[in-house]
Amino acid sequence: MRIRDIAQTRMRYGYFRIYILLRREGWVVNHKRVYRLYREDGLSLRLKRPRRHVSAARRERQPAALAPNDMWSMDFVSDALFNGRRLRALTVVDAYTREALAIDVDQGIKGEQVVEAMDRIASVRGAPRVIRVDNGPEFISKALDRWAYENGVTLDFSRPGKPTDNAFVESFNGRFRDECLNTHWFLSLADARSKIDAWRRDYNECRPHTSLGWLTPAEFASSAGVNPGR
């Protein structure tokens, strides 16, 4: 408990510095035990957070979503047009209602375009408490960090090599690829946007979801008092 208390008040202290503080307080404890407890409690989780990223979550994982708009998850999916030209999609999911809030498609998507997507979605349903993302350059950009800071949003970054930290959007991306990307032939960027948005709407409004008691995401959101809006 004392290790946890120190870690919460001394955000940038590693296990050995915490060990030194414990010894100064009179705790008779081996540094190996401090390290083991420190790791078991997940306190080293945020040591790799983006440098100077003011909106990044610190040590602890953010709690699971307990209400609509509590947590969004977002990621990128890559594909190609019929002629091999690169296609990239930004997927944004509400972790509670499982709604696909947006799938923005372009040949390349920068941090500023991620911010535009966040603004567009937030204008309909408000900004979330947390957005769970990986460590891609678009998500650690200063543009997104500023938007999150100005809107009171915490960016919860996945650990490197741990895609399960962002499981909701990973699961969604698998369905998106299986049910949409792998079954369509995209003739142009406009064609891809049209077909992908049609699939997104069908996913929200028609596709029963097992974890929602076989309700569609739109039905579940409506029962939770949310007007999906799009």
Side-chain angles (χ1 to χ4, degrees):
M1 290 293 291
R2 184 59 187 147
I3 291 171
R4 189 178 300 148
D5 289 343
I6 294 173
Q8 291 301 318
T9 57
R10 307 284 185 174
M11 291 292 185
R12 303 308 300 157
Y13 279 19
Y15 88 93
F16 200 82
R17 200 176 300 272
I18 292 175
Y19 159 71
I20 296 298
L21 290 180
L22 289 172
R23 292 301 296 261
R24 287 180 179 176
E25 293 178 2
W27 291 86
V28 181
V29 61
N30 186 284
H31 70 89
K32 293 180 181 179
R33 187 182 182 202
V34 173
Y35 178 72
R36 177 174 59 80
L37 295 172
Y38 179 85
R39 293 277 297 187
E40 286 178 359
D41 216 29
L43 297 175
S44 60
L45 190 60
R46 294 299 166 203
L47 291 179
K48 296 296 184 180
R49 74 185 182 94
R51 186 166 176 255
R52 296 195 184 95
H53 214 287
V54 298
S55 299
R58 303 292 174 143
R59 294 175 187 272
E60 72 283 354
R61 293 293 293 164
Q62 294 296 300
L66 300 175
N69 227 38
D70 195 29
M71 179 183 293
W72 298 351
S73 295
M74 62 181 176
D75 197 8
F76 286 100
V77 179
S78 296
D79 204 67
L81 301 178
F82 80 101
N83 58 5
R85 291 178 65 188
R86 187 186 183 202
L87 189 71
R88 207 156 185 237
L90 170 69
T91 58
V92 187
V93 178
D94 186 301
Y96 184 77
T97 66
R98 307 298 202 272
E99 295 167 279
L101 303 179
I103 305 178
D104 283 17
V105 180
D106 212 328
Q107 288 184 277
I109 299 177
K110 299 180 179 179
E112 291 77 10
Q113 290 168 281
V114 175
V115 170
E116 289 175 5
M118 297 300 97
D119 271 333
R120 188 181 72 249
I121 302 169
S123 69
V124 175
R125 56 194 292 141
R129 177 182 62 85
V130 173
I131 302 178
R132 190 164 281 179
V133 293
D134 64 21
N135 291 274
E138 301 84 1
F139 297 146
I140 64 172
S141 69
K142 292 182 179 178
L144 182 59
D145 187 31
R146 177 176 178 175
W147 179 88
Y149 179 75
E150 291 176 345
N151 287 274
V153 176
T154 297
L155 298 177
D156 189 26
F157 288 90
S158 301
R159 293 167 293 179
K162 296 287 186 179
T164 53
D165 282 349
N166 206 359
F168 291 122
V169 77
E170 289 288 339
S171 176
F172 172 80
N173 288 348
R175 296 187 183 98
F176 173 43
R177 183 171 296 283
D178 182 54
E179 299 176 10
C180 181
L181 298 181
N182 291 348
T183 60
H184 286 94
W185 192 247
F186 302 125
L187 302 180
S188 65
L189 195 58
D191 183 47
R193 286 171 175 161
S194 175
K195 289 175 179 174
I196 288 172
D197 193 58
W199 179 85
R200 183 187 70 85
R201 291 177 181 274
D202 183 76
Y203 177 90
N204 284 339
E205 298 168 10
C206 301
R207 187 185 189 281
H209 204 294
T210 55
S211 66
L212 303 179
W214 298 107
L215 295 175
T216 68
E219 288 171 338
F220 184 78
S222 179
S223 69
V226 176
N227 181 1
R230 296 179 68 242

